[in-house]
Amino acid sequence: MDITASSALWRTAASLCTSLLLIGGASCSSPSGETASTETNSDSTATSQAVAPANSPLQVVTEFREPQIVGVAVAPDGRVFGVFPRWDNNPVNPIAVVGTDGSVKPYPDASWCMWNDSVRNEPQKHWICPQSVYVDQTGMLWVLDPAAPGLKATVPGGPKLVKIDPKTNKVVQNISFPASVAPRKSYLNDVRIDTQRNFAYITESGMGAIVVVDLKNGSSRRLLADHPSVHPEPGLTLKADGHPMIDPMGKPMALHADGIALSRDGEYLYWSPLTSHSLYRIKTEALRNAALSSAQLGNQVEKVGTIPATDGMEIDAKNNVYLTSFENNAIVRRTPAGKLETIAKEPRLQWPDTYAITANGDLYFTTSAIHKTPTWNKGVGKQDQPYRIFKTVLPQ
């Protein structure tokens, strides 16, 4: 997708009122490539008036009517970073520090957040269509930019992984992906960083692959592109709020490798295609071994078990895998024994999207309402409640 695909009107990141109230007694997905109108669905009063259950463990960190948020990360100093991709809209601040008052401030600065004809020749110095933010175990912030506005095709020279030091707010590493790793129809979706071995692992949801990056020299490899574990499950039609996810061509949503999690010891990488009910993993040692053939690497992939369809994914120190169960308006976790446990399930969880776990044991996540965007509703946006960032304490 070139810059002309970003045909939606520029919209400011102005947001409505927000709250920091405790409610009660948390790549990577790709929703649309169409620019269309957004309107409130007057028939969706049940959702628009959704309130927290009396026993909800969730706290609203902040909320916005526009623009749409997908990713979240939390720095050691407590700052919350949000990702507002250039999909249906063209947000002024696609990467931002998010305030509890709903404010969004460009990050690391306004120049990085600018993308228009005046900077077309500098695709490595600007956020084109960022998708993911992640804070590693050393406190560094990483931004993954698939550079595919409107989800149509990558901007040549644009796909990149950028490391920023939150203490100085300065870029300290900028890794560009060649077309052999991020082809024109690719969409780099989510990223995890192994700070001990200096490697990054990325899901690619547009065509399907796992991308492995050597952070020491910036080289990257596109792997498992022909393996079924990174591709949609045949015959599966996803539903959210009971709404079948059917695109304007009448085809069911079919998205490739999306959610990703790296075990705390860095030994295993977990992932799932968005259009799938299967969780996979592989030893990272195999991913780093360039001597393995495609077939040999594929033989190392394990199917861990059956899960709800998930967008985002994360893992804790006890190897519980957290899943954003968007079909069920829920966040759940899968224990190492394979038990699925519901953390929260309520109408406010309109497409729970991406997780972030903090050092003090808080679980943050966004709700992106992808099922209510124009592409999945015959060109008319049906968003009827704010996009939100929630948090809760990690269950014991």
Side-chain angles (χ1 to χ4, degrees):
M1 166 183 6
D2 55 30
I3 193 171
T4 59
S6 183
S7 57
L9 294 176
W10 284 88
R11 298 185 181 183
T12 66
S15 51
L16 296 179
C17 61
T18 159
S19 58
L20 188 61
L21 303 174
L22 179 63
I23 308 295
S27 130
C28 349
S29 52
S30 311
S32 79
E34 301 295 323
T35 300
S37 63
T38 301
E39 64 182 39
T40 299
N41 180 5
S42 60
D43 296 330
S44 298
T45 54
T47 300
S48 61
Q49 297 176 6
V51 296
N55 61 345
S56 174
L58 305 180
Q59 175 180 339
V60 176
V61 176
T62 192
E63 60 185 30
F64 330 80
R65 271 294 174 180
E66 295 291 348
Q68 182 186 28
I69 188 171
V70 295
V72 64
V74 184
D77 63 9
R79 280 181 296 171
V80 178
F81 298 91
V83 183
F84 305 86
R86 290 185 167 116
W87 286 346
D88 291 307
N89 303 326
N90 202 343
V92 173
N93 301 315
I95 299 294
V97 177
V98 178
T100 56
D101 59 353
S103 62
V104 289
K105 298 179 181 179
Y107 195 81
D109 55 41
S111 177
W112 264 96
C113 289
M114 180 188 302
W115 182 245
N116 55 37
D117 286 342
S118 70
V119 296
R120 179 192 290 266
N121 294 326
E122 299 178 328
Q124 280 295 309
K125 296 181 180 180
H126 302 274
W127 307 131
I128 299 173
C129 181
Q131 170 67 21
S132 177
V133 286
Y134 180 74
V135 171
D136 69 24
Q137 292 183 358
T138 68
M140 294 294 103
L141 179 73
W142 297 81
V143 180
L144 181 64
D145 185 359
L151 299 155
K152 291 185 173 65
T154 60
V155 171
K160 54 190 171 288
L161 176 64
V162 180
K163 179 182 180 181
I164 303 172
D165 185 346
K167 293 180 180 179
T168 63
N169 302 316
K170 300 296 183 182
V171 171
V172 295
Q173 189 174 11
N174 189 336
I175 297 172
S176 177
F177 296 104
S180 59
V181 172
R184 291 278 283 164
K185 293 298 183 181
S186 70
Y187 194 82
L188 301 174
N189 193 289
D190 208 349
V191 62
R192 293 297 180 266
I193 306 296
D194 183 344
T195 56
Q196 295 181 6
R197 299 167 183 84
N198 281 316
F199 273 83
Y201 305 99
I202 297 169
T203 47
E204 193 278 282
S205 61
M207 300 170 63
I210 301 295
V211 174
V212 177
V213 187
D214 186 336
L215 299 176
K216 295 184 293 295
N217 57 28
S219 64
S220 56
R221 295 184 298 135
R222 181 182 178 88
L223 304 174
L224 296 172
D226 297 324
H227 197 274
S229 67
V230 301
H231 297 299
E233 198 169 294
L236 178 61
T237 299
L238 299 173
K239 294 182 179 181
D241 268 349
H243 173 68
M245 300 298 291
I246 306 296
D247 71 16
M249 303 302 292
K251 298 179 180 179
M253 172 184 274
L255 296 178
H256 304 260
D258 195 307
I260 188 173
L262 180 66
S263 62
R264 294 296 179 90
D265 60 9
E267 294 291 333
Y268 281 95
L269 186 75
Y270 294 78
W271 72 90
S272 178
L274 190 142
T275 307
S276 176
H277 287 148
S278 297
L279 177 65
Y280 299 94
R281 75 174 186 176
I282 193 172
K283 288 185 176 180
T284 56
E285 181 182 10
L287 292 173
R288 295 191 302 272
N289 187 352
L292 293 180
S293 68
S294 178
Q296 289 172 325
L297 184 62
N299 288 336
Q300 298 291 315
V301 176
E302 305 173 39
K303 180 177 177 179
V304 179
T306 300
I307 59 171
T310 186
D311 193 332
M313 191 182 299
E314 195 47 278
I315 194 167
D316 66 19
K318 298 179 181 178
N319 287 322
N320 296 298
V321 177
Y322 294 80
L323 311 165
T324 54
S325 180
F326 59 85
E327 287 191 289
N328 302 304
N329 303 105
I331 57 171
V332 304
R333 72 175 180 179
R334 183 186 186 277
T335 69
K339 181 181 179 182
L340 292 172
E341 300 175 339
T342 299
I343 300 169
K345 176 180 171 65
E346 54 179 87
R348 292 185 302 164
L349 302 190
Q350 296 292 295
W351 200 289
D353 196 309
T354 301
Y355 285 120
I357 295 178
T358 66
N360 66 352
D362 285 333
L363 180 70
Y364 284 69
F365 67 96
T366 58
T367 54
S368 61
I370 285 172
H371 61 303
K372 294 187 175 181
T373 56
T375 289
W376 310 106
N377 293 279
K378 300 180 179 180
V380 179
K382 299 292 185 179
Q383 173 65 354
D384 53 7
Q385 63 173 302
Y387 304 106
R388 294 185 172 103
I389 300 175
F390 289 95
K391 76 172 181 178
T392 188
V393 176
L394 277 176
Q396 297 301 311

